[in-house]
């Protein structure tokens, strides 16, 4: 028996099923899955530039006969959808399992979305574990199902399943499965219209087979209790329902696409009123209603957004809430901020100072949008900063407008920013692109990427030269600058702004402070005049006394980077 998170359990289930290839792109709450898989012997695990590439690598490994695992978060599924939809036509060679981790409540994401819709649209089997044991069992069985039905299988996790540790009993020893020898079969793997059309007919037959199996599979469980209330649920919602409605009858779905139609109808016939409980989605309720089953509405509506919980269900069903003991101990506010010594801080301070229109991207540097820096105007998805900046330039062409600046991190630049920059260069675009190269994929836990040359399993990895790559695609004005040097940052942005008729790329290159974790002698405020400039940097080590209005530096938080001292005109900040 082991105590594992859902992510670790999926990795172990894949390993024990004989998977030898694991690929993905880091994204909370999925990241630890591939990191756990990489720790096993006899497997190959790699971070890819983005989720689409990862999906294609996994499809290739599957076509070659190996069992493979590909991991991503819910927004990564958007990126990977193109190959996934076609893989549902081609089918698999070796079993192919896709771990997609949804993030209800948007703890670390730019949107809420329900990945069930992808499974239904692509017609691939989807399973929803409700704890780590099921994450292990479902993943291990998913490989057999993938090969049985000739289709990729999705394991849908959620933040609470991914990150909660529950006991896991391993099954029998790891399946020692030899790779199935590859045999050429263009009719299966070449999806041009002449071959795709018959594969579509074959896919429809496979869907019918999966639907029949769904009603017989052991992963859907009916728990009859009080027949006056019946609840259909899956995944983490099952745990909340059992807590909030302990007497209710429950149909716990382990397979959420395709739905077990006969099982759902039989459950509905056995209860007085059938309800569907799910998080920030109507996928299940719509699918159950589409089977001709009447879905009852609770006394109060379930939350349409955010993470679910037992009290939200109690409130919906008109049940008294469980009150938690109150405390008079004040809890200090912990607003998110860039770390003390973060190499991005001066860049954002200078962008704010030049009153630029800043299109941002996905990363910890997105925090540059928050006060007091307030230096980001837009953030949509990975790679969008460069594309949106080009769109701003097109819309404002010929007008007198503020400088338009795209800000993107090194890993995100590799993910999809590079193709955006190619488009800008190709179309003769102008403006400023700031690449914040902190030598890691910091937001998700400091993983490797093509521009830092760190491989998931160690060993030799090729580090791409960012400056040479940018020049190679046709950008002539390229600067490499230390972002901890205020004057260098200021001068580089000034030079880029003056070259308004062309495209300028400034690479701000300095390691994330969490990589090296070096600490110099801290600074302190010797004779503050109360001008408040240092506070506008938003460094968590700098504060202002509420009574005197004077600044102070917390020596325990300060790492001695010296950024603040460069902004103090009175030389009041010193070591």
């Amino acid at each position: 028996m082991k105590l594992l998170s859902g992510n670790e359990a999926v990795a172990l289930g894949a390993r024990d099923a004989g998977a030898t290839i694991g690929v993905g792109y880091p994204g909370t709450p999925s990241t630890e899955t591939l990191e756990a898989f990489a720790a096993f012997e006899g497997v190959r695990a790699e971070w890819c530039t983005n989720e689409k590439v990862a999906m294609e690598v996994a499809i290739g490994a599957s076509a070659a006969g190996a069992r493979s695992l590909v991991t991503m978060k819910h927004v990564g599924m958007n990126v990977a959808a193109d190959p996934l939809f076609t893989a549902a036509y081609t089918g698999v060679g070796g079993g192919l399992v896709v771990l997609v981790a949804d993030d209800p409540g948007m703890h670390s994401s730019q949107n809420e979305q329900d990945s069930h819709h992808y499974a239904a649209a692509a017609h691939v089997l989807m399973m929803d574990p409700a704890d780590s044991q099921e994450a292990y069992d479902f993943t291990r069985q998913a490989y057999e199902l993938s090969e049985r039905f000739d289709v990729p299988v999705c394991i849908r996790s959620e933040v609470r399943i991914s990150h909660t540790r529950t006991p896991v009993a391993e099954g029998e020893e790891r399946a020692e499965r030899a790779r199935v020898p590859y045999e050429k079969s263009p009719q299966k793997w070449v999806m041009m219209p002449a071959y795709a059309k018959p594969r579509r007919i074959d896919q429809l037959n496979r869907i019918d087979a999966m639907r029949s199996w769904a009603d017989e599979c052991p992963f859907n469980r009916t728990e009859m209790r009080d027949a006056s209330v019946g609840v259909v649920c899956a995944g983490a919602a099952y745990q909340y329902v059992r807590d909030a409605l302990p007497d209710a009858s429950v149909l716990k779905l382990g397979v959420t696409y395709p739905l077990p139609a006969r099982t759902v109808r039989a459950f509905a016939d056995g209860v007085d009123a059938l309800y569907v409980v799910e998080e920030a989605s109507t996928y299940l309720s719509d699918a159950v209603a589409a089977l001709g089953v009447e879905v009852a509405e609770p006394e109060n509506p379930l939350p349409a957004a955010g993470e679910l919980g037992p009290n939200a269900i109690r409130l919906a069903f008109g049940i008294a809430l469980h009150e938690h003991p109150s405390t008079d101990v004040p809890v200090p506010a912990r607003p998110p901020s860039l770390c003390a010594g973060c190499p991005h801080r001066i860049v954002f301070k200078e962008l704010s100072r030049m009153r630029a229109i800043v299109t941002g991207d996905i990363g910890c540097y997105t925090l540059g949008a928050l006060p007091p820096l307030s230096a980001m105007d837009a953030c949509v998805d990975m790679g969008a900063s460069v594309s949106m900046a080009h769109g701003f330039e097109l819309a404002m062409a010929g007008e007198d407008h503020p400088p338009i600046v795209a800000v993107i991190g090194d890993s995100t630049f590799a993910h999809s920013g590079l193709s955006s920059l190619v488009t800008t260069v190709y179309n003769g675009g102008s403006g400023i692109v700031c690449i914040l190269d902190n030598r890691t994929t910091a937001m998700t836990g400091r993983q490797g990427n093509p521009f830092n040359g760190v491989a998931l399993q160690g060993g030799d990895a090729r580090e791409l030269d960012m400056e040479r790559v940018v020049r190679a695609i046709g950008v002539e004005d390229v600067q490499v600058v230390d972002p901890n040097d205020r004057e260098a940052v200021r001068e580089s942005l000034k030079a880029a702004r003056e070259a308004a008729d062309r495209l300028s790329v400034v690479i701000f290159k300095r390691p994330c402070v969490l990589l090296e974790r070096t600490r110099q002698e801290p600074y302190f405020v010797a004779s503050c005049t109360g001008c408040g400039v240092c506070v506008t940097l938003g460094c968590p080590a700098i504060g202002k006394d509420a009574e005197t209005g004077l600044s102070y530096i917390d020596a325990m938080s300060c790492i001695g980077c010296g950024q603040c001292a460069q902004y103090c005109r009175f030389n009041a900040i010193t070591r």
Side-chain angles (χ1 to χ4, degrees), residues 49 121 433 441 458:
T49 52
V433 174
T441 312

Side-chain angles (χ1 to χ4, degrees), residues 25 27-30 71-77 100-101 103 108-110:
Y25 184 83
T28 305
S30 72
T71 70
M72 64 199 69
K73 66 185 294 180
H74 63 293
V75 288
M77 184 64 95
V100 54
D103 189 14
S108 57
S109 306
Q110 67 268 39

